[in-house]
Coordinates of all heavy atoms in Angstrom, one line a residue:
M1 N 0.9 -1.3 0.0 CA 0.0 -0.1 0.0 C 0.9 1.2 0.0 O 1.8 1.4 0.8 CB -0.9 0.0 1.2 CG -1.9 1.0 1.3 SD -3.1 1.0 2.6 CE -4.2 -0.3 2.0
N2 N 0.7 2.1 -1.0 CA 1.4 3.4 -1.0 C 0.8 4.5 -0.1 O -0.3 4.3 0.3 CB 1.7 3.8 -2.4 CG 0.4 4.4 -3.1 OD1 -0.4 5.0 -2.4 ND2 0.2 4.1 -4.3
P3 N 1.6 5.6 0.1 CA 1.1 6.6 1.0 C -0.2 7.2 0.6 O -1.1 7.5 1.4 CB 2.3 7.6 1.0 CG 3.5 6.8 0.6 CD 3.0 5.8 -0.2
L4 N -0.5 7.3 -0.8 CA -1.8 7.9 -1.2 C -2.9 7.0 -0.8 O -3.9 7.5 -0.4 CB -1.7 8.1 -2.7 CG -0.8 9.2 -3.3 CD1 -0.9 9.1 -4.8 CD2 -1.2 10.5 -2.8
E5 N -2.7 5.7 -0.9 CA -3.7 4.8 -0.5 C -4.0 4.7 1.0 O -5.1 4.7 1.5 CB -3.3 3.3 -0.9 CG -3.3 3.2 -2.5 CD -2.6 1.9 -3.0 OE1 -1.8 1.3 -2.3 OE2 -2.9 1.5 -4.1
L6 N -2.9 4.8 1.7 CA -3.0 4.9 3.2 C -3.8 6.0 3.7 O -4.6 6.1 4.6 CB -1.6 5.0 3.9 CG -0.9 3.7 4.0 CD1 0.5 3.9 4.5 CD2 -1.6 2.7 5.0
A7 N -3.5 7.3 3.0 CA -4.3 8.5 3.5 C -5.7 8.6 2.7 O -6.3 9.5 2.9 CB -3.4 9.6 3.1
E8 N -5.9 7.6 1.9 CA -7.2 7.7 1.0 C -7.2 9.0 0.3 O -8.3 9.6 0.2 CB -8.4 7.4 1.9 CG -8.3 6.0 2.6 CD -9.7 5.7 3.3 OE1 -10.6 6.5 3.2 OE2 -9.7 4.7 4.0
A9 N -6.1 9.5 -0.2 CA -6.1 10.7 -0.8 C -6.5 10.6 -2.3 O -6.3 9.5 -2.9 CB -4.6 11.2 -0.9
R10 N -7.1 11.6 -2.8 CA -7.7 11.6 -4.2 C -7.1 13.0 -4.9 O -8.0 13.9 -5.0 CB -9.1 11.5 -4.2 CG -9.6 10.1 -3.7 CD -11.2 10.1 -3.7 NE -11.7 8.8 -3.2 CZ -11.7 8.6 -1.8 NH1 -11.3 9.5 -0.9 NH2 -12.1 7.4 -1.4
P11 N -5.9 13.0 -5.2 CA -5.3 14.1 -5.7 C -5.9 14.4 -7.1 O -6.3 13.5 -7.8 CB -3.8 13.9 -5.8 CG -3.7 12.4 -5.9 CD -4.9 11.8 -5.0
G12 N -6.0 15.7 -7.5 CA -6.4 16.1 -8.8 C -5.5 15.5 -9.8 O -4.5 14.9 -9.6
P13 N -5.8 16.0 -11.0 CA -5.0 15.4 -12.2 C -3.6 16.0 -12.2 O -3.4 17.2 -11.7 CB -5.7 16.0 -13.4 CG -6.7 17.1 -13.0 CD -7.0 16.8 -11.5
G14 N -2.7 15.2 -12.5 CA -1.3 15.5 -12.5 C -0.9 16.5 -13.7 O -1.8 16.8 -14.5
F15 N 0.3 17.0 -13.6 CA 0.7 17.9 -14.7 C 2.2 17.8 -14.8 O 2.8 16.9 -14.2 CB 0.3 19.4 -14.4 CG 0.7 19.9 -12.9 CD1 2.0 20.5 -12.8 CD2 -0.1 19.7 -11.9 CE1 2.4 20.9 -11.6 CE2 0.3 20.3 -10.6 CZ 1.5 20.8 -10.4
T16 N 2.8 18.5 -15.6 CA 4.3 18.5 -15.8 C 5.0 19.8 -15.6 O 4.3 20.8 -15.7 CB 4.7 18.0 -17.2 OG1 4.3 18.9 -18.1 CG2 4.1 16.6 -17.5
V17 N 6.2 19.7 -15.2 CA 7.1 20.9 -15.0 C 8.4 20.4 -15.8 O 8.6 19.3 -16.2 CB 7.4 21.3 -13.6 CG1 6.2 21.7 -12.9 CG2 8.1 20.1 -12.9
T18 N 9.4 21.3 -16.0 CA 10.6 20.9 -16.5 C 11.7 21.3 -15.6 O 11.7 22.3 -14.9 CB 10.9 21.5 -17.9 OG1 11.0 22.9 -17.7 CG2 9.9 21.1 -18.9
L19 N 12.7 20.4 -15.5 CA 14.1 20.7 -14.8 C 15.1 20.7 -15.8 O 15.5 19.7 -16.3 CB 14.3 19.7 -13.7 CG 15.7 19.8 -13.0 CD1 15.8 21.2 -12.3 CD2 15.9 18.7 -12.2
D20 N 15.7 21.8 -16.1 CA 16.8 21.9 -17.1 C 16.4 21.2 -18.4 O 17.1 20.5 -19.0 CB 18.1 21.3 -16.6 CG 18.6 22.2 -15.5 OD1 18.3 23.4 -15.3 OD2 19.4 21.6 -14.6
G21 N 15.2 21.5 -18.7 CA 14.6 20.9 -20.0 C 14.0 19.5 -20.0 O 13.4 19.1 -20.9
R22 N 14.3 18.8 -18.9 CA 13.7 17.5 -18.6 C 12.2 17.5 -18.0 O 12.1 18.2 -17.1 CB 14.6 16.8 -17.6 CG 14.2 15.4 -17.2 CD 15.2 14.8 -16.1 NE 14.6 13.8 -15.4 CZ 15.1 13.3 -14.3 NH1 16.2 13.9 -13.7 NH2 14.6 12.3 -13.6
S23 N 11.4 16.8 -18.6 CA 10.0 16.8 -18.3 C 9.8 16.0 -17.1 O 10.3 14.9 -16.9 CB 9.1 16.4 -19.4 OG 7.8 16.4 -19.0
L24 N 9.1 16.5 -15.9 CA 8.9 15.7 -14.8 C 7.4 15.7 -14.4 O 6.7 16.8 -14.6 CB 9.5 16.5 -13.6 CG 11.1 16.6 -13.7 CD1 11.6 17.4 -12.5 CD2 11.8 15.3 -13.8
D25 N 6.8 14.5 -14.1 CA 5.4 14.4 -13.8 C 5.3 14.9 -12.3 O 6.1 14.7 -11.4 CB 5.0 13.0 -13.9 CG 5.0 12.5 -15.3 OD1 4.7 13.4 -16.2 OD2 5.3 11.3 -15.6
V26 N 4.1 15.6 -12.0 CA 3.9 16.1 -10.7 C 2.4 15.8 -10.2 O 1.5 15.9 -11.0 CB 4.0 17.8 -10.9 CG1 3.7 18.4 -9.4 CG2 5.3 18.1 -11.3
L27 N 2.4 15.4 -9.0 CA 1.1 15.4 -8.4 C 0.8 16.7 -7.7 O 1.6 17.3 -7.1 CB 1.0 14.3 -7.2 CG 1.1 12.9 -7.8 CD1 1.3 11.9 -6.5 CD2 -0.2 12.4 -8.5
P28 N -0.5 17.2 -7.8 CA -0.8 18.5 -7.3 C -0.6 18.5 -5.8 O -0.7 17.6 -5.1 CB -2.3 18.7 -7.5 CG -2.8 17.5 -8.4 CD -1.6 16.5 -8.4
G29 N -0.1 19.7 -5.3 CA 0.1 20.0 -3.9 C 1.6 19.7 -3.5 O 1.9 20.0 -2.4
R30 N 2.4 19.2 -4.4 CA 3.8 19.0 -4.0 C 4.6 20.3 -4.2 O 4.4 21.1 -5.0 CB 4.4 17.9 -5.0 CG 3.9 16.5 -4.5 CD 4.7 15.5 -5.2 NE 4.3 14.2 -4.6 CZ 4.8 13.0 -5.1 NH1 5.6 13.0 -6.1 NH2 4.4 11.9 -4.5
T31 N 5.6 20.4 -3.3 CA 6.6 21.5 -3.5 C 7.6 21.2 -4.6 O 7.7 20.0 -5.0 CB 7.3 21.7 -2.2 OG1 8.1 20.5 -2.0 CG2 6.4 22.0 -1.0
I32 N 8.3 22.2 -5.0 CA 9.3 21.9 -6.1 C 10.3 20.9 -5.5 O 10.7 20.1 -6.2 CB 10.0 23.3 -6.3 CG1 9.1 24.3 -6.9 CG2 11.3 23.0 -7.2 CD1 8.7 24.1 -8.4
A33 N 10.6 21.0 -4.2 CA 11.6 20.1 -3.7 C 11.1 18.7 -3.7 O 11.9 17.7 -4.1 CB 12.0 20.5 -2.2
A34 N 9.8 18.5 -3.4 CA 9.2 17.1 -3.4 C 9.3 16.6 -4.9 O 9.5 15.3 -5.1 CB 7.9 17.1 -2.9
V35 N 9.0 17.4 -5.9 CA 9.0 17.1 -7.2 C 10.4 16.6 -7.6 O 10.5 15.5 -8.3 CB 8.5 18.2 -8.1 CG1 8.8 17.8 -9.6 CG2 7.0 18.5 -7.9
L36 N 11.4 17.3 -7.2 CA 12.8 17.0 -7.6 C 13.2 15.6 -6.9 O 13.8 14.8 -7.5 CB 13.7 18.1 -7.3 CG 13.4 19.5 -8.1 CD1 14.4 20.6 -7.7 CD2 13.4 19.2 -9.5
W37 N 12.9 15.6 -5.6 CA 13.2 14.2 -4.9 C 12.5 13.1 -5.6 O 13.2 12.1 -5.8 CB 12.7 14.4 -3.6 CG 13.7 14.9 -2.5 CD1 15.0 15.3 -2.8 CD2 13.5 15.2 -1.1 NE1 15.6 15.8 -1.7 CE2 14.7 15.7 -0.6 CE3 12.3 15.0 -0.4 CZ2 14.7 16.1 0.7 CZ3 12.5 15.3 0.9 CH2 13.7 15.9 1.5
D38 N 11.2 13.3 -5.9 CA 10.5 12.2 -6.6 C 11.2 11.8 -8.0 O 11.2 10.6 -8.4 CB 9.1 12.6 -6.9 CG 8.1 11.4 -7.3 OD1 8.4 10.3 -6.8 OD2 7.4 11.6 -8.1
A39 N 11.9 12.7 -8.6 CA 12.6 12.4 -9.9 C 14.0 11.9 -9.6 O 14.7 11.8 -10.5 CB 12.6 13.7 -10.6
G40 N 14.3 11.8 -8.3 CA 15.7 11.3 -8.0 C 16.8 12.4 -7.9 O 18.0 12.0 -7.9
V41 N 16.3 13.6 -7.9 CA 17.3 14.7 -7.9 C 17.4 15.2 -6.5 O 16.4 15.6 -5.9 CB 16.9 15.9 -8.8 CG1 17.8 17.1 -8.7 CG2 16.6 15.4 -10.2
T42 N 18.7 15.2 -5.9 CA 18.8 15.5 -4.5 C 19.6 16.8 -4.3 O 19.7 17.3 -3.3 CB 19.5 14.4 -3.8 OG1 20.7 14.0 -4.4 CG2 18.6 13.2 -3.6
S43 N 20.3 17.3 -5.4 CA 21.0 18.6 -5.3 C 20.7 19.3 -6.6 O 20.7 18.7 -7.7 CB 22.5 18.4 -5.1 OG 23.1 17.8 -6.2
W44 N 20.5 20.6 -6.5 CA 20.1 21.4 -7.7 C 20.7 22.8 -7.6 O 20.3 23.7 -8.2 CB 18.6 21.5 -7.9 CG 17.9 21.9 -6.6 CD1 17.7 23.1 -6.0 CD2 17.2 20.9 -5.7 NE1 16.9 23.1 -4.9 CE2 16.6 21.7 -4.6 CE3 17.0 19.6 -5.7 CZ2 15.9 21.0 -3.6 CZ3 16.3 19.0 -4.6 CH2 15.8 19.7 -3.6
R45 N 21.7 23.0 -6.7 CA 22.4 24.3 -6.6 C 23.8 24.0 -6.2 O 24.2 23.0 -5.6 CB 21.7 25.1 -5.5 CG 22.4 26.3 -5.1 CD 21.6 27.1 -4.0 NE 21.8 26.8 -2.7 CZ 22.8 27.3 -2.0 NH1 23.7 28.1 -2.5 NH2 23.0 27.0 -0.7
S46 N 24.7 25.0 -6.5 CA 26.1 24.8 -6.1 C 26.4 26.2 -5.4 O 25.9 27.2 -5.8 CB 27.0 24.6 -7.3 OG 26.9 25.6 -8.2
T47 N 27.2 26.1 -4.4 CA 27.5 27.2 -3.6 C 28.4 28.2 -4.2 O 29.1 27.9 -5.3 CB 28.3 26.8 -2.2 OG1 29.4 26.1 -2.6 CG2 27.3 25.9 -1.4
R48 N 28.3 29.5 -3.8 CA 29.1 30.6 -4.5 C 30.6 30.4 -4.6 O 31.2 30.5 -5.6 CB 28.9 31.9 -3.8 CG 27.5 32.5 -4.0 CD 27.3 33.7 -3.2 NE 27.4 33.4 -1.9 CZ 26.9 34.1 -0.9 NH1 26.6 35.3 -1.1 NH2 27.0 33.6 0.4
D49 N 31.2 30.1 -3.5 CA 32.6 30.0 -3.5 C 33.2 28.7 -3.9 O 34.0 28.5 -4.8 CB 33.2 30.4 -2.1 CG 32.8 31.8 -1.8 OD1 32.7 32.7 -2.8 OD2 32.5 32.2 -0.6
A50 N 32.8 27.5 -3.2 CA 33.4 26.2 -3.4 C 32.7 25.4 -4.4 O 33.2 24.4 -4.8 CB 33.4 25.6 -2.1
G51 N 31.5 25.9 -4.9 CA 30.8 25.1 -5.9 C 30.3 23.8 -5.4 O 30.1 22.8 -6.0
R52 N 30.0 23.7 -4.1 CA 29.6 22.5 -3.4 C 28.1 22.3 -3.7 O 27.2 23.2 -3.8 CB 29.7 22.5 -1.9 CG 31.2 22.9 -1.4 CD 32.0 21.7 -1.5 NE 31.5 20.7 -0.6 CZ 31.9 19.5 -0.4 NH1 33.0 19.1 -1.2 NH2 31.4 18.6 0.3
P53 N 27.6 21.0 -3.9 CA 26.2 20.8 -4.2 C 25.3 21.0 -3.0 O 25.7 20.7 -1.8 CB 26.2 19.3 -4.5 CG 27.4 18.7 -3.9 CD 28.5 19.8 -3.8
R54 N 24.1 21.5 -3.3 CA 23.2 21.7 -2.2 C 21.8 21.3 -2.7 O 21.4 21.4 -3.9 CB 23.1 23.1 -1.8 CG 24.4 23.7 -1.1 CD 24.5 23.0 0.3 NE 25.6 23.6 1.1 CZ 26.8 23.0 1.0 NH1 27.1 21.9 0.3 NH2 27.8 23.6 1.8
G55 N 21.0 20.9 -1.7 CA 19.5 20.6 -2.0 C 18.8 20.9 -0.7 O 19.0 22.0 -0.1
V56 N 17.8 20.1 -0.3 CA 17.1 20.3 0.9 C 18.0 20.0 2.2 O 18.7 19.0 2.2 CB 15.9 19.5 1.0 CG1 15.2 19.5 2.3 CG2 14.8 19.9 -0.1
F57 N 18.0 20.9 3.1 CA 18.6 20.7 4.4 C 17.6 20.6 5.4 O 17.3 19.6 6.1 CB 19.7 21.6 4.7 CG 20.5 21.4 6.0 CD1 21.3 20.2 6.1 CD2 20.4 22.2 7.1 CE1 22.0 20.0 7.3 CE2 21.1 21.9 8.3 CZ 21.8 20.8 8.3
C58 N 17.0 21.8 5.7 CA 16.0 21.9 6.9 C 14.6 21.4 6.3 O 13.8 20.9 7.2 CB 15.9 23.3 7.5 SG 15.1 24.5 6.4
G59 N 14.2 21.8 5.2 CA 12.9 21.4 4.6 C 11.7 22.3 5.1 O 10.6 22.0 4.8
I60 N 12.0 23.3 5.8 CA 11.0 24.2 6.5 C 11.4 25.8 6.1 O 10.7 26.5 6.9 CB 10.8 24.0 8.0 CG1 12.2 24.2 8.7 CG2 10.3 22.6 8.2 CD1 12.0 24.2 10.2
G61 N 12.1 26.0 5.2 CA 12.3 27.4 4.8 C 13.2 28.2 5.6 O 13.3 29.4 5.4
V62 N 14.1 27.6 6.4 CA 15.0 28.4 7.3 C 16.4 28.5 6.8 O 17.0 29.5 6.8 CB 14.9 27.7 8.7 CG1 16.0 28.4 9.6 CG2 13.5 27.8 9.3
C63 N 17.0 27.4 6.2 CA 18.3 27.3 5.9 C 18.8 28.0 4.5 O 19.9 28.3 4.3 CB 18.9 25.9 5.9 SG 18.4 24.9 4.6
F64 N 17.8 28.1 3.6 CA 18.1 28.6 2.2 C 19.0 27.7 1.5 O 19.7 28.2 0.5 CB 18.5 30.0 2.2 CG 17.5 31.0 2.7 CD1 17.0 31.1 4.0 CD2 17.0 32.0 1.7 CE1 16.0 32.0 4.3 CE2 16.0 32.8 2.1 CZ 15.5 32.8 3.4
D65 N 19.3 26.5 1.8 CA 20.1 25.6 1.1 C 19.5 25.1 -0.2 O 20.2 24.8 -1.1 CB 20.5 24.3 1.9 CG 21.9 24.5 2.5 OD1 22.5 25.5 2.5 OD2 22.3 23.4 3.1
C66 N 18.2 25.2 -0.3 CA 17.5 24.6 -1.4 C 17.1 25.6 -2.6 O 16.2 25.3 -3.4 CB 16.1 24.0 -0.9 SG 15.1 25.2 -0.3
L67 N 17.9 26.8 -2.6 CA 17.5 27.8 -3.6 C 17.6 27.2 -5.0 O 18.5 26.4 -5.3 CB 18.5 28.9 -3.5 CG 18.5 29.7 -2.2 CD1 19.4 30.8 -2.0 CD2 17.0 30.2 -1.8
V68 N 16.7 27.6 -5.9 CA 16.5 27.2 -7.2 C 16.0 28.3 -8.0 O 15.3 29.2 -7.5 CB 15.7 25.9 -7.2 CG1 14.3 26.2 -6.9 CG2 15.8 25.1 -8.6
T69 N 16.1 28.2 -9.3 CA 15.6 29.1 -10.2 C 14.2 28.6 -10.8 O 14.2 27.5 -11.3 CB 16.5 29.5 -11.4 OG1 17.7 30.1 -10.7 CG2 16.0 30.5 -12.3
V70 N 13.2 29.4 -10.7 CA 11.9 28.9 -11.1 C 11.3 30.0 -12.0 O 11.1 31.2 -11.5 CB 10.9 28.7 -9.9 CG1 9.6 28.1 -10.4 CG2 11.5 27.6 -9.0
N71 N 11.0 29.7 -13.2 CA 10.4 30.7 -14.1 C 11.3 31.9 -14.3 O 10.7 33.1 -14.1 CB 8.9 30.9 -13.8 CG 8.1 29.7 -13.8 OD1 8.3 28.9 -14.6 ND2 7.1 29.6 -12.9
D72 N 12.6 31.7 -14.3 CA 13.5 32.8 -14.4 C 13.7 33.7 -13.2 O 14.3 34.7 -13.2 CB 13.2 33.7 -15.6 CG 13.4 33.0 -16.9 OD1 14.3 32.1 -17.0 OD2 12.6 33.3 -17.9
R73 N 13.1 33.3 -12.1 CA 13.4 33.9 -10.8 C 14.3 33.1 -10.0 O 14.0 32.1 -9.5 CB 12.0 34.1 -10.0 CG 11.0 35.0 -10.8 CD 9.7 35.3 -10.0 NE 10.1 35.9 -8.7 CZ 9.4 35.8 -7.6 NH1 8.3 35.1 -7.7 NH2 9.7 36.5 -6.5
P74 N 15.6 33.6 -9.8 CA 16.5 32.9 -8.9 C 16.2 32.9 -7.5 O 15.4 33.8 -7.1 CB 17.9 33.5 -9.3 CG 17.5 35.0 -9.7 CD 16.1 34.9 -10.3
N75 N 16.9 32.0 -6.7 CA 16.8 32.1 -5.3 C 15.4 31.8 -4.7 O 15.1 32.4 -3.7 CB 17.4 33.4 -4.7 CG 18.8 33.6 -5.3 OD1 19.6 32.6 -5.1 ND2 19.1 34.7 -5.8
Q76 N 14.7 30.9 -5.3 CA 13.4 30.5 -4.7 C 13.6 29.3 -3.8 O 14.3 28.4 -4.2 CB 12.4 30.1 -5.9 CG 12.2 31.4 -6.9 CD 11.7 32.6 -6.2 OE1 10.6 32.6 -5.6 NE2 12.5 33.6 -6.2
R77 N 13.0 29.3 -2.7 CA 13.2 28.1 -1.8 C 12.3 27.0 -2.3 O 11.1 27.0 -2.1 CB 12.8 28.6 -0.3 CG 14.0 29.3 0.3 CD 13.6 29.9 1.6 NE 12.7 31.0 1.4 CZ 12.1 31.6 2.5 NH1 12.3 31.3 3.7 NH2 11.3 32.6 2.3
A78 N 12.9 26.0 -2.8 CA 12.2 24.8 -3.3 C 11.4 24.1 -2.3 O 10.4 23.5 -2.6 CB 13.3 23.9 -3.9
C79 N 11.8 24.1 -1.1 CA 11.0 23.5 0.0 C 9.7 24.1 0.4 O 8.9 23.5 1.0 CB 11.8 23.2 1.3 SG 12.2 24.7 2.2
L80 N 9.6 25.3 -0.1 CA 8.3 26.1 0.3 C 7.3 26.3 -0.9 O 6.2 26.5 -0.7 CB 8.6 27.4 0.9 CG 9.4 27.4 2.1 CD1 9.6 28.9 2.6 CD2 8.6 26.7 3.2
I81 N 7.9 26.3 -2.1 CA 7.1 26.8 -3.3 C 6.3 25.5 -3.9 O 6.9 24.5 -4.3 CB 8.1 27.3 -4.4 CG1 8.7 28.5 -3.8 CG2 7.2 27.7 -5.6 CD1 9.7 29.1 -4.8
P82 N 5.0 25.6 -4.0 CA 4.3 24.5 -4.7 C 4.6 24.7 -6.1 O 4.7 25.6 -6.8 CB 2.8 24.9 -4.4 CG 2.8 26.2 -3.7 CD 4.1 26.7 -3.6
A83 N 4.7 23.4 -6.7 CA 4.8 23.3 -8.2 C 3.6 23.6 -8.8 O 2.5 23.3 -8.4 CB 5.3 21.8 -8.5
R84 N 3.7 24.4 -9.9 CA 2.5 24.7 -10.7 C 2.7 24.3 -12.2 O 3.8 24.1 -12.6 CB 2.4 26.3 -10.7 CG 2.0 26.8 -9.4 CD 1.7 28.2 -9.4 NE 1.2 28.6 -8.0 CZ 2.0 29.1 -7.1 NH1 3.4 29.1 -7.3 NH2 1.5 29.4 -6.0
P85 N 1.5 23.9 -12.9 CA 1.7 23.4 -14.2 C 2.6 24.3 -15.0 O 2.5 25.5 -15.1 CB 0.2 23.4 -14.7 CG -0.6 23.3 -13.5 CD 0.2 24.1 -12.4
G86 N 3.5 23.6 -15.8 CA 4.4 24.4 -16.7 C 5.6 25.1 -16.1 O 6.3 25.8 -16.9
D87 N 5.8 25.0 -14.8 CA 6.9 25.6 -14.2 C 8.2 25.2 -15.0 O 8.4 24.1 -15.3 CB 7.0 25.2 -12.7 CG 6.2 26.1 -11.8 OD1 5.7 27.2 -12.3 OD2 6.0 25.7 -10.6
V88 N 9.1 26.2 -15.2 CA 10.4 26.0 -15.8 C 11.4 26.1 -14.7 O 11.6 27.2 -14.2 CB 10.6 27.0 -16.9 CG1 12.1 26.7 -17.5 CG2 9.6 26.8 -17.9
I89 N 12.0 25.0 -14.2 CA 12.9 25.0 -13.1 C 14.3 24.8 -13.6 O 14.5 23.9 -14.5 CB 12.5 23.7 -12.1 CG1 11.1 23.9 -11.7 CG2 13.4 23.8 -10.9 CD1 10.5 22.6 -11.1
R90 N 15.2 25.5 -13.1 CA 16.6 25.3 -13.5 C 17.5 25.3 -12.4 O 17.2 26.0 -11.3 CB 17.0 26.6 -14.4 CG 16.4 26.6 -15.8 CD 17.0 27.6 -16.7 NE 16.6 29.0 -16.3 CZ 17.4 29.9 -15.8 NH1 18.7 29.7 -15.9 NH2 17.0 31.0 -15.5
T91 N 18.5 24.3 -12.4 CA 19.5 24.3 -11.4 C 20.2 25.6 -11.3 O 20.2 26.3 -12.3 CB 20.5 23.2 -11.7 OG1 21.0 23.3 -13.0 CG2 19.8 21.8 -11.5
Q92 N 20.8 25.9 -10.3 CA 21.3 27.3 -10.0 C 22.8 27.1 -9.5 O 23.1 26.4 -8.6 CB 20.4 28.0 -8.9 CG 20.9 29.3 -8.6 CD 19.9 30.1 -7.7 OE1 18.8 30.1 -7.9 NE2 20.5 30.7 -6.7
E93 N 23.6 28.1 -10.1 CA 25.1 28.1 -9.7 C 25.2 29.5 -8.9 O 24.7 30.4 -9.3 CB 25.9 28.1 -10.8 CG 26.1 26.8 -11.5 CD 27.0 26.7 -12.7 OE1 27.9 27.5 -12.6 OE2 26.8 25.9 -13.5
G94 N 25.9 29.4 -7.7 CA 26.1 30.6 -6.9 C 24.9 31.3 -6.6 O 23.9 30.8 -6.1
T95 N 24.9 32.7 -6.9 CA 23.8 33.5 -6.6 C 22.6 33.4 -7.5 O 21.5 33.9 -7.2 CB 24.2 35.0 -6.5 OG1 24.5 35.4 -7.9 CG2 25.3 35.3 -5.7
G96 N 22.8 32.7 -8.7 CA 21.7 32.6 -9.6 C 21.5 33.8 -10.5 O 20.7 33.8 -11.4
H97 N 22.4 34.9 -10.2 CA 22.3 36.1 -11.0 C 23.5 36.1 -11.9 O 24.5 35.4 -11.7 CB 22.4 37.3 -10.1 CG 21.3 37.4 -9.2 ND1 19.9 37.9 -9.6 CD2 21.1 37.2 -7.8 CE1 19.2 37.8 -8.5 NE2 19.8 37.5 -7.5
A98 N 23.4 36.7 -13.1 CA 24.5 36.8 -14.0 C 25.6 37.8 -13.5 O 25.8 38.9 -14.2 CB 24.0 37.2 -15.4
D99 N 26.3 37.4 -12.5 CA 27.3 38.4 -12.0 C 28.7 37.7 -12.0 O 28.9 36.7 -12.4 CB 27.0 38.8 -10.6 CG 26.7 37.7 -9.6 OD1 27.1 36.4 -9.9 OD2 26.2 37.9 -8.6
Ligands
FES1 S1 15.6 23.3 2.8 FE1 16.1 24.9 4.2 S2 15.1 26.6 3.3 FE2 14.5 24.9 1.9

């Protein structure tokens, strides 16, 4: 029995988003971070100085480790933002700005 069956959840119709051009299936109500995890992606940003990989750390919007570019807006916290149909998600290097 999967979690949806356990909770007797009846989510609405799914949709797709893209991550660096790759199409990902999404169940409604998921955050960007949940969508990326479900796709097997655990890091989507590199740090400014050392280029170290980052993804979710706190999962509650406090640490800012999960920053990602969504619809050309850099530095969005993936753990807080709900995925929306057609979102264009891009991995992010450093500040996410062209500097
Ligand atoms: S994981 Fe900490 S702010 Fe998103």
